[in-house]
């Protein structure tokens, strides 16, 4: 497999600038957070000034990455000047600026150098330089290859643990189709630096709050089948969140349970939010749910995508989205 990112250009940008603002998408997963943390420590090793500021709060199962409180949640008043004070703004694990929600306007207005390091499809032209390759399984794998190929810094535990988490989670614990030989070689190398797979998996997946487990029960109980049982979908309402004390980030990976049902090849999760609703899509084979999501203003990968709606008509939209999804089975 040939990857097409110009790592020498990325290296030159890093070496020729002094301060960096790192950010990622709303409701960050472990690839997003792991990539931020690894890139942060890469910069610190080079004597650079670095900040991590995100729209969303850090999910509780990833707090072990934030030992020194290096990840900040965006505050418009507190952070209003940082977009003009740093040399470079780095978008990690996303390629559409609206994915930063409350930070979007400040990022768009900033005249500082902007770069994007990502592996998703259909990028928006909001940065000066794109370092994007959709053949990568994770943004964390891009950062790993960048370090190995350019030798810009030496790997150590501070960098390798978050990179391991990034790659492990975005490959579905090494079961998704982009789990290539190169991925396993990279993982074998990361383990040399003291990464403990059992501990990382335990912290990310086996330390759930009781409210999350109860919410999963509600989600599973809501599953319905559609389109000759080839589409499975589940619904989570605001009432579910309120009654159980759960939060939106608790729903990560819930959608995949749809695909565990025999004959189901397309899974959908509808999540009612306080200001609209969110839909996650997953598929098997070559069903392009990124194109399905794009029809509703979203995006993602061929087999994993999503869209967000800022209207409160989820119940009305469910049959519309299901009917549109059915067309992708036929095509």
């Amino acid at each position: 497999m040939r990857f097409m990112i110009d790592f020498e250009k990325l290296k030159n940008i890093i070496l020729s600038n002094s301060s960096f603002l790192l950010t990622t998408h709303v409701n960050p997963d472990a690839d997003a957070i792991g990539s931020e943390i690894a890139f942060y420590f890469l910069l610190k090793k080079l004597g650079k000034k670095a900040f991590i500021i995100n729209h969303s709060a850090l999910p509780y199962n990833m707090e072990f990455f934030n030992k020194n409180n290096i990840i900040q949640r965006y505050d418009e008043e507190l952070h209003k000047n940082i977009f003009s004070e740093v040399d470079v703004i780095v978008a990690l694990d996303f390629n559409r600026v609206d994915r930063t929600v409350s930070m979007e306007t400040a990022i768009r207005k900033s005249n500082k150098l902007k770069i994007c390091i990502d592996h998703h499809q259909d990028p928006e032209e909001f940065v000066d330089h794109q370092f994007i390759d959709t053949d990568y399984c994770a943004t964390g794998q891009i950062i790993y290859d960048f370090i190995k190929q350019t030798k810009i810094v030496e790997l150590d535990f501070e960098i390798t643990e978050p990179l391991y988490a990034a790659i492990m989670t975005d490959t579905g614990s090494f079961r998704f189709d982009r789990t290539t030989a190169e991925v396993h070689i990279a993982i074998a190398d990361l383990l040399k630096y003291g990464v403990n797979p059992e501990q990382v998996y335990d912290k990310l997946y086996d330390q759930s709050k009781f409210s999350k487990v109860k919410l999963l029960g509600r989600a599973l109980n809501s599953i319905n089948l559609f389109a000759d049982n080839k589409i499975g979908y589940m619904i989570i309402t605001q009432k579910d969140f309120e009654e159980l004390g759960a939060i939106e980030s608790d729903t990560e990976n819930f959608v995949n349970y749809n695909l565990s049902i025999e004959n189901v090849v397309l899974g959908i999760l509808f999540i009612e939010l306080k200001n609209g609703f969110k839909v996650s899509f997953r598929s098997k084979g070559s069903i392009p749910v990124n194109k399905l999501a794009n029809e509703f203003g979203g995006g993602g990968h061929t087999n994993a995508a999503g869209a967000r709606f800022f209207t409160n008509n989820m119940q009305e939209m469910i049959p519309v989205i299901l009917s549109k999804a059915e067309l992708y089975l036929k095509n």
Side-chain angles (χ1 to χ4, degrees):
M1 182 180 293
R2 289 178 58 84
F3 296 116
M4 305 303 294
I5 293 178
D6 187 346
F7 285 144
E8 286 303 317
K9 179 190 284 188
L10 177 56
K11 180 180 180 180
N12 290 336
I13 290 172
I14 292 172
L15 295 180
S16 59
N17 288 281
S18 300
S19 57
F20 299 77
L21 168 59
L22 315 181
T23 193
T24 193
H25 55 79
V26 61
N27 298 322
D29 55 11
D31 188 24
I33 297 298
S35 296
E36 286 184 316
I37 294 288
F39 206 78
Y40 173 89
F41 283 116
L42 180 160
L43 294 170
K44 299 302 285 186
K45 282 180 175 296
L46 295 169
K48 309 294 183 179
K49 186 179 291 186
F51 307 90
I52 300 176
I53 302 174
N54 297 331
H55 164 78
S56 297
L58 180 67
Y60 63 80
N61 64 327
M62 299 179 208
E63 289 175 354
F64 70 101
F65 285 136
N66 198 28
K67 300 180 183 72
N68 299 317
N69 295 316
I70 58 177
I71 300 178
Q72 303 175 52
R73 189 172 187 184
Y74 177 62
D75 180 293
E76 185 175 0
E77 183 62 28
L78 182 64
H79 297 121
K80 62 182 178 181
N81 296 323
I82 197 166
F83 298 91
S84 60
E85 292 175 346
V86 297
D87 299 322
V88 184
I89 296 173
V90 186
L92 288 160
D93 199 45
F94 73 99
N95 60 33
R96 304 189 69 82
V97 71
D98 61 355
R99 298 277 283 141
T100 62
V101 192
S102 62
M103 299 173 65
E104 177 181 358
T105 300
I107 292 173
R108 287 193 188 278
K109 287 183 177 180
S110 175
N111 62 358
K112 297 300 182 176
L113 185 70
K114 303 183 188 81
I115 66 174
C116 174
I117 304 173
D118 185 44
H119 67 128
H120 295 93
Q121 296 166 317
D122 305 317
E124 176 190 353
E125 300 287 341
F126 76 98
V127 296
D128 301 288
H129 301 285
Q130 293 183 348
F131 301 97
I132 300 174
D133 192 328
T134 59
D135 285 333
Y136 277 96
C137 73
T139 300
Q141 187 191 10
I142 297 175
I143 296 172
Y144 169 81
D145 268 12
F146 168 63
I147 294 171
K148 294 295 286 188
Q149 290 185 30
T150 64
K151 298 180 171 57
I152 188 168
V153 295
E154 293 290 327
L155 289 172
D156 62 11
F157 182 78
E158 283 184 320
I159 293 174
T160 57
E161 185 183 48
L163 290 184
Y164 174 87
I167 296 170
M168 183 267 286
T169 54
D170 249 31
T171 56
S173 299
F174 314 110
R175 73 183 191 276
F176 294 161
D177 63 344
R178 289 182 188 167
T179 308
T180 61
E182 289 87 354
V183 170
H184 284 294
I185 290 169
I187 290 298
D189 188 33
L190 294 174
L191 294 180
K192 295 176 184 176
Y193 296 87
V195 176
N196 186 316
E198 181 181 8
Q199 288 183 5
V200 174
Y201 189 95
D202 179 69
K203 289 172 181 175
L204 289 174
Y205 293 123
D206 290 342
Q207 295 294 323
S208 298
K209 293 187 182 299
F210 186 50
S211 55
K212 177 180 179 177
V213 178
K214 296 286 283 184
L215 185 67
L216 175 59
R218 291 275 181 98
L220 293 173
N221 194 52
S222 76
I223 290 179
N224 281 290
L225 299 178
F226 182 74
D228 295 325
N229 299 336
K230 291 182 179 179
I231 295 176
Y233 67 98
M234 54 175 61
I235 301 169
I236 297 175
T237 66
Q238 266 299 297
K239 183 179 179 182
D240 293 325
F241 287 117
E242 292 166 2
E243 289 183 352
L244 300 175
I247 55 177
E248 183 184 345
S249 62
D250 286 333
T251 64
E252 184 181 356
N253 294 321
F254 281 14
V255 64
N256 293 323
Y257 284 93
N258 290 294
L259 296 180
S260 68
I261 302 168
E262 63 177 352
N263 300 321
V264 171
V265 294
L266 200 163
I268 305 176
L269 169 62
F270 297 93
I271 305 172
E272 186 179 34
L273 306 172
K274 290 181 178 178
N275 59 339
F277 66 101
K278 172 182 171 183
V279 186
S280 294
F281 303 98
R282 297 292 184 273
S283 68
K284 292 181 179 179
S286 59
I287 301 171
V289 291
N290 60 314
K291 293 183 179 180
L292 171 59
N294 188 253
E295 294 201 37
F296 299 101
H301 298 294
T302 300
N303 298 117
R308 202 174 186 98
F309 300 77
F310 293 94
T311 59
N312 295 316
N313 61 341
M314 183 177 78
Q315 295 298 333
E316 297 171 21
M317 285 298 297
I318 287 174
V320 175
I321 294 170
L322 289 174
S323 296
K324 186 69 71 172
E326 186 176 15
L327 297 177
Y328 282 80
L329 300 182
K330 298 174 181 177
N331 294 334

